[in-house]
Amino acid sequence: MRAYAYVVGPENGPGTALLDLARGLGFAGVSPFSTMAQAELQTQATPICFFLFAATDRLESLRGIAEAVRFSTTRRLRFSPLIYFAESPSVEAITGCINMGFDDVITMPFTRKRVLERITRQVGQNLVYYETPRYFGPDRRGRPGIEQGNGRSRGSGQFRRLEIVRSLVNGINVVRDDHFAPEPV
């Protein structure tokens, strides 16, 4: 697979297990995440970089890296798949990941076949992303099990709706980029 995988997490426990799992998935390369500069350089060598986040008790500790990726000025980095590997399917963890712009949350069991199927979904199909001043990530509206309008608005006013396709050959292709602004009152 012409994609690279960065594993974000501790260098022991869940981080080590995820690193071992990722090495068996056919990525062009796998390494622990180090810096955004390193990731930007990697996007020049491989069309897509996946960020695989190991389970943590402190989900909020992932926000810095997730936001650095999502709000990067480098298109290949900004649209990189962010995938969280949860040890348990808690509503708090899933909601937290969604609000940080993650593309997917995979819960146990982490079998090679199951994880590969979920990773494959991130490539070769149209995906819709939304951008507001406080959020950049996949369209989550209307997903089963996701509460809508629970007082945690991602903002109102101007927003962008982007339709992309990730390609293992060409990288990130923006198929559509629509800007929306509220009507003047």
Side-chain angles (χ1 to χ4, degrees):
M1 178 181 338
R2 288 200 52 203
Y4 197 88
Y6 284 108
V7 174
V8 180
E11 293 187 23
N12 56 24
T16 301
L18 184 53
L19 201 57
D20 290 342
L21 174 67
R23 287 187 175 127
L25 296 175
F27 286 106
V30 176
S31 68
F33 173 76
S34 178
T35 66
M36 290 304 292
Q38 175 197 38
E40 285 194 32
L41 285 173
Q42 186 61 49
T43 63
Q44 295 171 15
T46 50
I48 298 175
C49 289
F50 281 76
F51 287 80
L52 310 177
F53 290 75
T56 179
D57 292 334
R58 297 173 298 122
L59 190 65
E60 196 59 31
S61 68
L62 306 178
R63 183 174 296 280
I65 295 171
E67 286 183 352
V69 171
R70 283 291 176 244
F71 291 98
S72 171
T73 56
T74 305
R75 179 188 293 184
R76 282 188 172 181
L77 195 55
R78 185 171 208 212
F79 288 102
S80 293
L82 303 181
I83 301 174
Y84 181 68
F85 288 76
E87 291 179 342
S88 66
S90 80
V91 172
E92 294 81 19
I94 293 169
T95 303
C97 288
I98 287 170
N99 289 331
M100 285 189 260
F102 277 71
D103 293 273
D104 201 356
V105 176
I106 301 175
T107 58
M108 293 177 80
F110 304 135
T111 64
R112 182 185 185 283
K113 180 182 180 209
R114 187 168 178 261
V115 171
L116 203 50
E117 285 172 359
R118 298 287 282 273
I119 285 174
T120 303
R121 291 182 194 173
Q122 300 299 323
V123 179
Q125 60 183 316
N126 287 17
L127 302 167
V128 175
Y129 276 68
Y130 279 92
E131 178 181 27
T132 71
R134 295 188 332 234
Y135 176 80
F136 183 79
D139 180 9
R140 296 294 185 205
R141 296 169 308 137
R143 291 283 174 110
I146 304 300
E147 289 183 35
Q148 302 296 319
N150 61 356
R152 288 186 175 163
S153 172
R154 291 191 178 113
S156 57
Q158 290 188 345
F159 68 93
R160 286 172 70 189
R161 180 190 180 278
L162 299 109
E163 192 172 332
I164 67 157
V165 176
R166 294 184 184 113
S167 165
L168 294 175
V169 175
N170 302 317
I172 307 299
N173 299 305
V174 176
V175 178
R176 198 170 168 163
D177 185 354
D178 297 320
H179 296 260
F180 296 91
E183 295 291 323
V185 181

